[in-house]
């Protein structure tokens, strides 16, 4: 009876295995030796698809970027620029929160990653089409990336111990309820994100009234 064939090694299999390792154990767990063992292949066979571990991590990061909804920036979508930015930021944060261990790689920028570049292109193009001058459209893309990736790097509420004794009122007179934050982590963090996002968009709306209709001579993005 013929022995069952092992699945052929592919970029997708390598990325999936690396993605699982990153999600469950963190970036430090990923190595070509560990991946080869997980996939049941020899280490050198990975180099037919990726030259370095960093390339594998870049591919994992790009697979997360590919999960972000960009439909709000389609030409036939009727959402205005503010609503589109809001909905995109929510989708972006959702993708990153599902895979927080890869956020440090994503925070470096899109690099040569195709999905990351498509994301940047969609945001920039939509802002320019909405009337933002190119320099401001670039700044908006940068601002939103800073805000979303920063919000996904960790939990504000989860960073407070749930030990009431840790907050001696003599030392921390205003933190008497801080021990409750951890158990309300999702509510607190979601509310903080929406508060910050609304404030950002409100500020951009004020700027939009000032610059969107003014002629721009700047060509440098």
């Amino acid at each position: 009876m013929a022995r069952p064939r092992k699945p052929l090694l592919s970029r997708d299999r390598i990325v999936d295995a690396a993605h699982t390792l990153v999600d469950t154990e963190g970036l430090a767990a990923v190595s070509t030796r560990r991946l080869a063992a997980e996939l049941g292949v020899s280490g050198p066979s990975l180099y037919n698809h990726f030259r370095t571990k960093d390339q594998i991590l870049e591919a994992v990061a790009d697979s997360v970027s590919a999960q972000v909804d960009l439909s709000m920036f389609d030409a036939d979508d009727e959402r205005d620029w503010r609503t589109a930015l809001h909905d995109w930021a929510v989708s972006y944060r959702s993708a990153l929160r599902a895979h927080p261990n890869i956020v440090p790689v994503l925070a470096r920028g899109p690099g040569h990653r195709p999905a990351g570049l498509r994301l940047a292109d969609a945001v920039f193009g939509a802002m320019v089409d909405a009337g933002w001058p190119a320099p401001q459209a670039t700044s908006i893309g940068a601002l939103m990336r800073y805000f979303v990736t920063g919000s996904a790097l960790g939990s504000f509420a989860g960073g407070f111990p749930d030990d009431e004794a840790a907050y001696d009122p003599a030392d921390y007179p205003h933190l008497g309820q801080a021990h409750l934050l951890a158990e309300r982590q999702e509510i607190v963090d979601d509310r903080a994100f929406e508060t910050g996002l609304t404030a950002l968009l409100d500020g951009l709306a004020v700027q939009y009234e000032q610059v969107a209709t003014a002629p721009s001579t700047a060509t440098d993005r």
Side-chain angles (χ1 to χ4, degrees):
M1 185 174 180
R3 297 175 59 186
R5 295 178 59 189
K6 291 183 179 179
L8 293 175
L9 189 62
S10 66
R11 287 179 63 91
D12 287 345
R13 283 194 67 213
I14 296 169
V15 171
D16 286 346
H19 204 158
T20 299
L21 278 179
V22 171
D23 280 350
T24 57
E25 300 182 37
L27 293 171
V30 178
S31 68
T32 53
R33 178 177 296 182
R34 177 72 184 276
L35 283 172
E38 294 286 333
L39 293 164
V41 299
S42 63
S45 63
L46 298 179
Y47 297 119
N48 294 324
H49 302 278
F50 295 97
R51 293 194 299 273
T52 65
K53 182 185 82 169
D54 283 346
Q55 286 188 347
I56 297 173
L57 291 177
E58 289 287 312
V60 172
D62 211 39
S63 71
V64 173
S65 293
Q67 298 173 21
V68 181
D69 182 15
L70 299 177
S71 64
M72 65 286 297
F73 300 127
D74 290 345
D76 59 353
D77 192 282
E78 296 183 354
R79 280 170 279 194
D80 61 20
W81 67 267
R82 177 180 173 139
T83 305
L85 269 186
H86 174 276
D87 294 350
W88 167 72
V90 170
S91 176
Y92 193 7
R93 176 175 179 252
S94 178
L96 269 57
R97 286 185 73 190
H99 309 285
N101 291 336
I102 199 64
V103 173
V105 179
L106 286 162
R108 298 199 293 254
H112 290 86
R113 301 192 297 268
L117 290 171
R118 283 193 294 272
L119 186 153
D121 179 75
V123 175
F124 178 80
M127 294 304 100
V128 170
D129 288 345
W132 285 96
Q136 281 86 347
T138 299
S139 296
I140 289 170
L143 168 67
M144 298 303 291
R145 182 163 66 84
Y146 298 154
F147 177 67
V148 175
T149 56
S151 74
L153 282 172
S155 165
F156 172 81
F160 288 84
D162 61 2
D163 178 12
E164 188 173 2
Y167 307 98
D168 189 328
D171 296 322
Y172 316 109
H174 305 296
L175 296 182
Q177 300 296 308
H179 65 286
L180 301 175
L181 287 173
E183 68 181 37
R184 302 173 183 173
Q185 178 176 326
E186 186 171 353
I187 294 173
V188 173
D189 290 346
D190 286 350
R191 186 174 61 216
F193 179 78
E194 281 293 338
T195 299
L197 183 56
T198 298
L200 278 177
L201 295 174
D202 284 348
L204 288 175
V206 173
Q207 292 186 36
Y208 184 74
E209 293 301 318
Q210 298 171 351
V211 305
T213 58
S216 175
T217 58
T219 59
D220 185 11
R221 293 183 180 180

